[in-house]
Amino acid sequence: MDSSKSQFGFSAKNFLLFELGGAVFSALVTAFMRRFYSLCGGELIGILFGAVNNSVWESTKLLLISYLFWGLIEILCISVPFRAFVAAKTASLCFLCAVHIGFCCAADWVLQSREAVFMLGSVCFFPASVLSFFLLFGKFELSVFFVPSLFVLMLFWTIYFCFTPFPPHLEIFRDSLTRRFGLIPPDLIKEALYFLPYSA
């Protein structure tokens, strides 16, 4: 059986609808995953797929993983040109990472709540989706970037799994409540909320 017959055709309309749906889906998944670590009681699955602290990076990594997950759904549902799609999604993934970190750092100076910053930061999905659409339907020869894109994706997964337990001591990796880096037990977060002055 030809699996392509069960997929949507690769058209601008279909892809745009999937991209917009993916932006909403990713925002909702990210909101849930932000609390996944505490819901799991600090277990390994919560470390891998949740935010272990209240830093900019931990929020950004959740956006990136949900964006990649939706990209897999798009591959299964739409007859996309695979090599060009991977290149476009990799470029938009890097763009999403940069835009979200920049947005959070800028908004952190204005808003009092770090939680509000992260919730508003979900709008960064939309420009990333627009970039992905523009690259795929523009006059670009994306297939030549397939191999470099695979390398970038492998680098992303390495960073994703390494920066949670062993984060660089940069401000975007610092928890806003405890002022610590990396894994923070849920009980310590509760204590920090009680003892530390409000500074997020």
Short mmCIF file of all heavy atoms in Angstrom, two decimals, residues 2 30 60 62 68-69 81 88 113 117 120 124 143 152 156 160 166:
data_model
loop_
_atom_site.label_atom_id
_atom_site.label_comp_id
_atom_site.label_asym_id
_atom_site.label_seq_id
_atom_site.Cartn_x
_atom_site.Cartn_y
_atom_site.Cartn_z
N ASP A 2 0.57 2.17 -0.87
CA ASP A 2 1.35 3.40 -0.97
C ASP A 2 0.90 4.36 0.12
O ASP A 2 -0.23 4.85 0.10
CB ASP A 2 1.15 4.02 -2.36
CG ASP A 2 2.06 5.22 -2.57
OD1 ASP A 2 2.82 5.52 -1.64
OD2 ASP A 2 1.99 5.84 -3.64
N THR A 30 4.06 23.06 25.21
CA THR A 30 5.13 23.70 25.98
C THR A 30 4.62 24.13 27.36
O THR A 30 5.33 23.97 28.37
CB THR A 30 5.67 24.92 25.23
OG1 THR A 30 6.19 24.49 23.97
CG2 THR A 30 6.78 25.61 26.01
N THR A 60 13.17 27.55 26.63
CA THR A 60 13.46 27.51 25.20
C THR A 60 13.55 26.08 24.69
O THR A 60 13.05 25.76 23.60
CB THR A 60 14.78 28.24 24.90
OG1 THR A 60 14.68 29.60 25.35
CG2 THR A 60 15.10 28.22 23.42
N LEU A 62 12.01 23.50 25.63
CA LEU A 62 10.69 22.90 25.50
C LEU A 62 10.00 23.35 24.22
O LEU A 62 9.32 22.57 23.55
CB LEU A 62 9.82 23.26 26.72
CG LEU A 62 10.35 22.81 28.08
CD1 LEU A 62 9.37 23.16 29.17
CD2 LEU A 62 10.66 21.33 28.09
N LEU A 68 9.96 20.43 17.00
CA LEU A 68 10.48 19.27 16.27
C LEU A 68 9.46 18.14 16.22
O LEU A 68 9.32 17.47 15.19
CB LEU A 68 11.77 18.77 16.93
CG LEU A 68 13.06 19.50 16.58
CD1 LEU A 68 14.23 18.88 17.35
CD2 LEU A 68 13.34 19.42 15.09
N PHE A 69 8.76 17.93 17.31
CA PHE A 69 7.75 16.88 17.35
C PHE A 69 6.65 17.15 16.33
O PHE A 69 6.20 16.24 15.63
CB PHE A 69 7.15 16.78 18.76
CG PHE A 69 6.08 15.74 18.89
CD1 PHE A 69 6.40 14.39 18.85
CD2 PHE A 69 4.75 16.10 19.05
CE1 PHE A 69 5.40 13.42 18.96
CE2 PHE A 69 3.75 15.14 19.17
CZ PHE A 69 4.08 13.79 19.13
N PRO A 81 8.61 17.41 0.33
CA PRO A 81 9.93 17.03 -0.20
C PRO A 81 10.89 16.89 0.98
O PRO A 81 11.27 17.90 1.59
CB PRO A 81 10.28 18.20 -1.12
CG PRO A 81 9.47 19.35 -0.62
CD PRO A 81 8.23 18.77 -0.05
N ALA A 88 14.65 23.24 5.79
CA ALA A 88 13.82 24.39 6.17
C ALA A 88 13.49 24.35 7.66
O ALA A 88 13.55 25.37 8.35
CB ALA A 88 12.54 24.41 5.34
N SER A 113 6.88 39.10 35.95
CA SER A 113 6.72 37.67 36.11
C SER A 113 7.47 36.91 35.01
O SER A 113 7.21 37.12 33.82
CB SER A 113 5.23 37.29 36.07
OG SER A 113 5.07 35.90 36.01
N VAL A 117 6.56 36.02 30.92
CA VAL A 117 7.52 36.13 29.82
C VAL A 117 7.49 34.87 28.97
O VAL A 117 7.45 34.92 27.74
CB VAL A 117 8.94 36.37 30.37
CG1 VAL A 117 9.97 36.25 29.26
CG2 VAL A 117 9.04 37.75 31.01
N LEU A 120 4.17 34.52 26.95
CA LEU A 120 4.18 35.41 25.79
C LEU A 120 5.21 34.96 24.76
O LEU A 120 5.04 35.17 23.56
CB LEU A 120 4.47 36.84 26.24
CG LEU A 120 3.36 37.54 27.02
CD1 LEU A 120 3.83 38.90 27.51
CD2 LEU A 120 2.11 37.71 26.17
N CYS A 124 6.65 33.21 19.55
CA CYS A 124 7.82 33.05 18.69
C CYS A 124 7.66 31.88 17.72
O CYS A 124 8.40 31.77 16.73
CB CYS A 124 9.08 32.85 19.53
SG CYS A 124 9.51 34.27 20.57
N SER A 143 17.76 21.41 -0.85
CA SER A 143 18.25 20.03 -0.75
C SER A 143 19.76 19.95 -0.51
O SER A 143 20.25 19.01 0.12
CB SER A 143 17.90 19.26 -2.03
OG SER A 143 16.49 19.21 -2.20
N VAL A 152 23.44 19.70 12.24
CA VAL A 152 22.89 20.68 13.19
C VAL A 152 21.88 20.00 14.12
O VAL A 152 21.86 20.27 15.33
CB VAL A 152 22.25 21.86 12.45
CG1 VAL A 152 21.49 22.77 13.42
CG2 VAL A 152 23.31 22.66 11.72
N PHE A 156 22.01 19.66 18.06
CA PHE A 156 20.90 20.10 18.91
C PHE A 156 20.58 19.05 19.97
O PHE A 156 20.42 19.36 21.15
CB PHE A 156 19.65 20.39 18.08
CG PHE A 156 18.40 20.45 18.91
CD1 PHE A 156 18.14 21.55 19.71
CD2 PHE A 156 17.48 19.40 18.91
CE1 PHE A 156 16.99 21.60 20.50
CE2 PHE A 156 16.34 19.44 19.69
CZ PHE A 156 16.09 20.55 20.48
N TYR A 160 20.73 19.45 23.85
CA TYR A 160 19.48 19.25 24.59
C TYR A 160 19.69 18.35 25.81
O TYR A 160 19.21 18.64 26.90
CB TYR A 160 18.43 18.64 23.66
CG TYR A 160 17.09 18.41 24.31
CD1 TYR A 160 16.13 19.42 24.32
CD2 TYR A 160 16.78 17.20 24.91
CE1 TYR A 160 14.89 19.21 24.91
CE2 TYR A 160 15.55 16.98 25.51
CZ TYR A 160 14.61 17.99 25.50
OH TYR A 160 13.39 17.78 26.10
N PHE A 166 24.38 19.55 32.85
CA PHE A 166 25.67 20.25 32.88
C PHE A 166 25.58 21.58 32.11
O PHE A 166 26.19 21.72 31.04
CB PHE A 166 26.77 19.37 32.27
CG PHE A 166 26.84 17.99 32.85
CD1 PHE A 166 26.43 16.90 32.09
CD2 PHE A 166 27.29 17.78 34.14
CE1 PHE A 166 26.48 15.62 32.61
CE2 PHE A 166 27.33 16.49 34.68
CZ PHE A 166 26.93 15.42 33.91
#
